[in-house]
């Protein structure tokens, strides 16, 4: 009965976050503090409550800097007749597409509002009466008649121009993904296998008979992760072109990501034995990979799930790899600290785990040995136990005598 339950929970761990992808406090910027920007914020807040966390910027240059620094995923620059969507496909293609769709929705809504305002002005009796009075006054005053006619022509021209006004949307990709991976599929496909590969490395190193000394296990973990990360990088960038920038740093992050998973797995196996393999695999694969947000963004997952994923090596590694490959390491300090913490704890367990297991086994062995070699002494009224084969041996000696 345990196996069907485990399979059900594994499917739930992957399917539930994927089926509930939606923006939740996604940080975005609004350029300018004018009425157009305020109307955009109010409209988005009413249409999508809790979807966005707005940040105000004085101009587009400041918003671009915030995007490159990973402070926001994108920004909206709203003017009277246009909306500019500043996005970063490298931060997450799904979030970039979401911002583009939201920008188009804002433009459609603004166009409808302009049309409704023009229709209301055209049917306003008060305005029509004022225009008639102005024409009568212009007719009585010959000197001002030409000026009034010019003003009327100007108003008619403005009304004709406004009638064809349509708010347009312009999308600008501030930090695009590699041209060889326009949808980011190669990036996410390269991140997910790292968890399984790290667990395999940790299991091999912890169970290999040829690695008896803890220092040899640690060195093997480090070297194996570095070589495996080089192979991953050669495939992801050299063959598929998905990691085009900061080559050495990207390889180092891939190595650290593998080391954090493999060291944690090896340490748990060292402490708990074969049961640690199942525990580490369940934690890293069914929780870490499923909650990593590598295919979308942590803010697109259900609340709490994204935070859990970022505290585990798969989620922290994917975010740090994205920060390093496309954003020059901006906002990656926290993810780097999490990977380093998992690596240090795992390597410490590998180095010192034999003390814990050695003390437990030594206590058990000594207790068993003392029980076998030094049996309990009988009391004053107890008879000494005499084995049957000893009596038989004595009888044989008496018969021989």
């Amino acid at each position: 009965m345990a196996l069907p339950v485990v399979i059900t929970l594994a499917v739930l761990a992957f399917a539930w976050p994927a089926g509930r992808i939606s923006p939740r406090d996604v940080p975005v910027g609004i350029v300018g503090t004018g009425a157009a920007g305020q109307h955009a914020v109010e409209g988005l807040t009413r249409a999508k409550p809790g979807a966005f966390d707005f940040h105000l910027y004085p101009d587009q240059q400041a918003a671009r800097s915030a995007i490159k620094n990973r402070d926001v995923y994108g920004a909206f620059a709203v003017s009277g007749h246009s909306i500019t969507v500043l996005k970063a496909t490298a931060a997450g293609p799904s979030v970039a597409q979401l911002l583009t769709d939201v920008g188009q929705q804002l433009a459609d809504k603004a166009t409808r509002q302009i049309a409704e305002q023009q229709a209301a002005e055209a049917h306003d009796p008060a305005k029509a009466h004022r225009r008639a009075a102005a024409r009568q006054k212009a007719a009585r005053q010959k000197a001002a008649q030409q000026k009034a006619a010019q003003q009327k022509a100007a108003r008619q021209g403005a009304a004709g121009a406004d009638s064809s006004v349509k708010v347009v949307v312009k999308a600008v990709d501030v930090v695009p993904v590699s041209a060889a991976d326009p949808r980011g599929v190669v990036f996410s496909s390269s991140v997910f296998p790292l968890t399984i590969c790290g667990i395999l490395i940790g299991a091999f190193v912890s169970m290999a008979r040829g690695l008896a000394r803890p220092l040899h296990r640690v060195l093997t973990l480090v070297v194996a992760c570095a070589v495996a990360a080089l192979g991953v990088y050669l495939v992801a960038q050299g063959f598929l072109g998905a990691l085009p920038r900061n080559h050495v740093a990207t390889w180092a992050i891939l190595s650290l990501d593998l080391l954090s998973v493999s060291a944690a797995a090896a340490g748990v196996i060292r402490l708990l034995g074969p049961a640690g393999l199942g525990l580490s695999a369940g934690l890293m694969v069914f929780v870490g990979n499923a909650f990593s947000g590598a295919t979308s963004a942590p803010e697109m997952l259900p609340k709490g799930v994204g935070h859990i994923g970022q505290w585990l090596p798969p989620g922290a590694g994917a975010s740090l790899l994205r920060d390093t490959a496309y954003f020059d390491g901006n906002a990656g300090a926290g993810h780097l600290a999490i990977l380093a913490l998992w690596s240090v704890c795992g390597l410490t367990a590998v180095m010192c785990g034999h003390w814990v297991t050695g003390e437990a086994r030594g206590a058990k062995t000594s207790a068993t040995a003392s029980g076998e070699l030094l049996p309990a002494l009988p009391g004053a009224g107890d008879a000494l136990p005499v084995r049957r084969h000893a009596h038989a041996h004595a009888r044989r000696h008496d018969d021989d005598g």
Side-chain angles (χ1 to χ4, degrees):
M1 293 299 294
L3 186 59
V5 173
V6 171
I7 295 175
T8 303
L9 293 177
V11 174
L12 178 63
F14 278 93
W16 172 55
R20 296 294 184 268
I21 289 180
S22 179
R24 297 172 177 86
D25 294 329
V26 176
V28 296
I30 298 293
V31 177
T33 58
Q38 293 179 357
H39 291 328
V41 172
E42 293 174 357
L44 289 176
T45 303
R46 288 194 301 267
K48 299 179 181 294
F52 299 103
D53 179 20
F54 295 102
H55 301 258
L56 298 179
Y57 298 99
D59 50 31
Q60 291 193 24
Q61 186 62 36
R64 289 171 179 265
S65 299
I67 294 173
K68 294 179 181 179
N69 292 331
R70 297 286 277 152
D71 296 330
V72 293
Y73 280 91
F76 299 104
V78 184
S79 63
H81 303 297
S82 66
I83 296 177
T84 301
V85 180
L86 303 176
K87 61 182 182 179
T89 311
S94 60
V95 180
Q97 184 60 46
L98 170 68
L99 297 181
T100 303
D101 296 340
V102 170
Q104 186 62 52
Q105 294 173 5
L106 289 175
D108 295 341
K109 184 177 180 180
T111 302
R112 289 194 301 269
Q113 290 177 348
I114 292 175
E116 292 173 357
Q117 184 179 2
Q118 291 176 354
E121 291 179 354
H123 295 84
D124 191 351
K127 289 187 177 182
H129 179 73
R130 286 194 296 270
R131 290 177 183 176
R135 286 195 298 267
Q136 292 176 1
K137 184 178 179 179
R140 289 192 301 266
Q141 298 179 358
K142 185 177 180 179
Q145 186 177 7
Q146 185 176 2
K147 183 178 180 180
Q150 292 176 352
Q151 291 177 352
K152 181 180 179 181
R155 287 195 299 268
Q156 291 177 351
D162 290 340
S163 62
S164 61
V165 166
K166 181 179 180 181
V167 179
V168 297
V169 179
K170 179 182 178 182
V172 179
D173 202 346
V174 179
V175 185
V177 294
S178 173
D181 186 23
R183 297 184 179 181
V185 178
V186 177
F187 179 88
S188 58
S189 300
S190 302
V191 168
F192 280 137
L194 294 178
T195 304
I196 300 176
C197 294
I199 293 174
L200 292 177
I201 294 174
F204 172 78
V205 171
S206 59
M207 297 180 180
R209 295 183 178 180
L211 301 174
R213 296 183 178 180
L215 182 60
H216 293 170
R217 297 178 188 272
V218 170
L219 293 178
T220 304
L221 279 173
V222 174
V223 173
C225 291
V227 175
L230 180 60
V232 172
Y233 183 76
L234 291 177
V235 173
Q237 170 56 29
F239 181 57
L240 300 174
L243 302 171
R245 298 167 58 184
N246 301 323
H247 306 292
V248 177
T250 302
W251 166 71
I253 296 305
L254 288 171
S255 303
L256 182 60
D257 190 5
L258 278 171
L259 181 62
S260 62
V261 177
S262 61
V268 174
I269 295 172
R270 186 66 173 162
L271 295 175
L272 302 181
L277 177 59
L279 178 61
S280 59
L283 179 63
M284 296 298 178
V285 177
F286 298 130
V287 179
N289 265 358
F291 296 174
S292 66
T295 57
S296 56
E299 293 83 0
M300 298 288 286
L301 300 177
K303 286 188 176 181
V305 170
H307 295 289
I308 295 173
Q310 295 305 300
W311 277 97
L312 294 174
S319 298
L320 182 58
L321 183 62
R322 195 186 299 275
D323 296 338
T324 304
Y326 290 103
F327 296 91
D328 298 327
N330 294 325
H335 302 133
L336 180 61
I338 290 174
L339 293 182
L341 178 62
W342 279 93
S343 301
V344 170
C345 291
L347 294 177
T348 302
V350 173
M351 286 290 296
C352 305
H354 67 285
W355 292 348
V356 178
T357 56
E359 289 176 359
R361 291 173 183 173
K364 183 177 179 181
T365 303
S366 61
T368 305
S370 62
E372 291 179 355
L373 298 179
L374 296 175
L377 295 176
D382 296 338
L384 291 175
V386 180
R387 296 183 180 180
R388 293 183 178 179
H389 70 273
H391 289 287
H393 184 68
R395 285 196 298 268
R396 285 196 298 270
H397 280 284
D398 291 339
D399 293 339
D400 294 338

